[in-house]
Amino acid sequence: MQFDLTEDQALVLQTARDFAAREIEPKAAELDRTARWPTEIVERMAELGFMGLAIPTEYGGAGLDNVTYALVMEEISRACASSGVIMSVNNSLFCDPLYKFGTEWQKKEILTPTAQGRILGAFGLTEPASGSDARTMKTVCERQGDGSFLLNGSKNFITVGPHAEHIIVFAISAPHPEKPKHTALIVKKDMPGFQVANHDEKMGIRAAHSSTIFFDNVKVPKEYVLGEEGNAFKIAMITLDGGRIGIAAQALGIAKAAIDRSIAYSKERKAFGGVIAGLQAIQFMIADMIVEYEAARLLTLRAASMKDKGVKHTSESAMAKLLASEACTRICHKAIQIHGGYGYISEYAVERHYRDARITELYEGTSEIQRIVIAANALRG
Ligand code: CAA
């Protein structure tokens, strides 16, 4: 088993770490407080090749691997979890399925500028009445005589939605009471009938805008159909197998920031005649935080490395996301405990980490969905 990073992976990791510390971290509190979309950070991430990191260079990407993607995602999220998820949606949920299932025209015209970060992409699966039970969506698309589709319905909680040029929208193309068939359409924001609502006011990742999007008789030309008609549920599931690695890495980044801050604080804060780092109560918390973080990191890098090898990694991605997200919440909880009352006020960043952590257990499949996926794969044998 290979645990060491290659020279290239280590170099990109260092670049991401320096960039995040210098250009993102100083702005993270303000972005959170004001819920401002971080235009300048997205532009810089694009310049560094982080918006299409694992996409081949011929299609505008950086041509790197998924292990590097996970390493960079962790560093960006360690500085600012909002910037992390913006990067993750563009890479995992838009560029990756376009590269895997797109036509040559879609790769040249849509994937290339998106992987370069000149425009952004989003992923439309969730609806107001279907989150975990994604198959039961209500959005429909009807094939027209000229091969185009007429799209009607709505999607919600669409991260990056208000800023995306295109959204991959999943819709029922052949209704059926038990086994409806789905088709994926690449919807461009200027197609008539496409409407984006105001962005959601969220508890955490506040600068990463998400919103509801409405489709009212949107005519989607046939060149914008992604993959095989009627088979899009599998496209969604395969995409989420990759996306969950990104969210696991985001959770690692948030957790690492909370651990670093807890260690620094415990070496400064004095109580009972010395710094609190000298107290076993604090030391045990720090030890548990580090062990959970390291275990989740190994699972995440294993899933990313399996993706690089082209091996099925459904269960491994689910395990990585499940452990990383739940560990992240526990780690941030302990970080606040170590900070005491100071951890509860926004002057100290662990308060933000605690709020940011919570979403990682919800999006791209709740913890309960990850358990369903892991158990289903184990029981199938
Ligand atoms: N790879 C390939 N195919 C897969 C697959 C995978 N990982 N998972 C399922 N499939 C296939 C199955 O083999 C099956 O195929 P057949 O019809 O040919 O038999 C088909 O897909 C249906 O699978 P299931 O019977 O398992 O489907 P289900 O309805 O029971 O649901 C589920 C499965 C895992 C619960 C799924 O609904 C799910 O993942 N739900 C969570 C949705 C989710 O993660 N949403 C996140 C939204 S995106 C987001 O959050 C972005 C953001 O904000 C940042």
Side-chain angles (χ1 to χ4, degrees):
M1 215 173 163
Q2 170 72 27
F3 285 106
D4 295 330
L5 300 183
T6 64
E7 228 172 272
D8 284 352
Q9 288 166 344
L11 187 70
V12 180
L13 167 64
Q14 196 54 51
T15 305
R17 187 171 288 167
D18 293 345
F19 159 68
R22 207 176 41 243
E23 299 184 43
I24 304 181
E25 217 280 325
K27 295 180 175 171
E30 176 257 322
L31 291 171
D32 171 62
R33 194 174 57 251
T34 59
R36 174 175 73 78
W37 177 259
T39 306
E40 74 283 17
I41 292 174
V42 177
E43 281 171 9
R44 285 288 290 133
M45 290 199 293
E47 280 168 25
L48 290 165
F50 293 170
M51 298 307 277
L53 214 134
I55 299 297
T57 49
E58 63 173 311
Y59 296 120
L64 298 169
D65 57 20
N66 287 286
V67 168
T68 311
Y69 167 60
L71 296 169
V72 172
M73 260 301 295
E74 179 181 346
E75 292 305 321
I76 302 298
S77 306
R78 185 175 164 194
C80 169
S82 294
S83 303
V85 74
I86 295 167
M87 177 185 151
S88 156
V89 166
N90 207 65
N91 276 272
S92 295
L93 299 189
F94 192 85
C95 291
D96 194 56
L98 236 78
Y99 176 58
K100 275 204 190 96
F101 304 103
T103 62
E104 199 50 35
W105 178 83
Q106 290 167 353
K107 289 183 192 174
K108 286 262 177 293
E109 296 300 317
I110 303 172
L111 172 60
T112 301
T114 317
Q116 287 167 341
R118 290 194 282 123
I119 53 175
L120 299 177
F123 182 81
L125 180 66
T126 302
E127 297 186 1
S130 68
S132 291
D133 191 4
R135 209 148 46 112
T136 60
M137 62 183 69
K138 299 273 184 290
T139 296
V140 289
C141 63
E142 211 177 307
R143 196 183 232 291
Q144 307 297 290
D146 60 358
S148 67
F149 277 88
L150 210 56
L151 177 67
N152 279 289
S154 66
K155 296 285 170 183
N156 75 338
F157 304 144
I158 305 306
T159 309
V160 183
H163 304 273
E165 186 71 18
H166 299 95
I167 301 182
I168 298 174
V169 177
F170 295 86
I172 292 183
S173 50
H176 184 275
E178 286 103 44
K179 284 232 156 201
K181 287 192 184 302
H182 305 80
T183 293
L185 304 172
I186 306 167
V187 182
K188 199 166 188 290
K189 70 174 184 196
D190 61 10
M191 289 176 179
F194 178 101
Q195 202 194 341
V196 184
N198 289 340
H199 73 80
D200 306 316
E201 271 297 330
K202 297 194 297 281
M203 167 185 178
I205 56 158
R206 287 170 46 75
H209 296 167
S210 66
S211 65
T212 301
I213 300 177
F214 301 95
F215 313 101
D216 180 13
N217 279 324
V218 178
K219 186 174 161 66
V220 183
K222 61 174 187 283
E223 307 83 71
Y224 288 81
V225 175
L226 178 65
E228 194 192 330
E229 188 184 328
N231 205 22
F233 194 71
K234 283 189 187 159
I235 296 180
M237 293 297 108
I238 292 167
T239 301
L240 287 167
D241 286 347
R244 288 168 184 162
I245 298 173
I247 300 307
Q250 183 198 26
L252 291 175
I254 300 167
K256 186 68 168 70
I259 293 171
D260 292 345
R261 292 200 152 91
S262 299
I263 291 175
Y265 183 79
S266 70
K267 293 203 272 194
E268 281 168 17
R269 174 73 177 176
K270 293 204 174 80
F272 302 107
V275 291
I276 62 170
L279 302 173
Q280 264 192 349
I282 302 294
Q283 291 169 2
F284 285 2
M285 278 196 268
I286 288 173
D288 288 343
M289 290 157 87
I290 292 170
V291 172
E292 286 220 271
Y293 162 79
E294 292 292 345
R297 193 164 193 265
L298 285 177
L299 280 189
T300 305
L301 294 180
R302 176 182 71 159
S305 144
M306 287 174 75
K307 184 163 191 256
D308 282 330
K309 291 190 184 109
V311 179
K312 188 165 163 60
H313 53 93
T314 301
S315 197
E316 288 75 11
S317 291
M319 287 184 220
K321 182 185 180 284
L322 175 63
L323 182 63
S325 61
E326 293 197 343
C328 181
T329 302
R330 287 190 290 268
I331 288 166
C332 291
H333 177 96
K334 288 194 175 85
I336 292 193
Q337 204 63 21
I338 290 171
H339 282 73
Y342 289 107
Y344 199 67
I345 60 173
S346 55
E347 215 179 310
Y348 285 75
V350 288
E351 182 266 348
R352 166 167 51 88
H353 300 326
Y354 187 76
R355 287 183 287 104
D356 286 344
R358 202 60 186 79
I359 188 63
T360 65
E361 288 183 69
L362 302 171
Y363 58 20
E364 301 206 26
T366 60
S367 289
E368 291 69 29
I369 291 298
Q370 310 311 322
R371 288 186 169 90
I372 286 173
V373 170
I374 296 161
N377 277 275
L379 294 167
R380 241 195 318 271

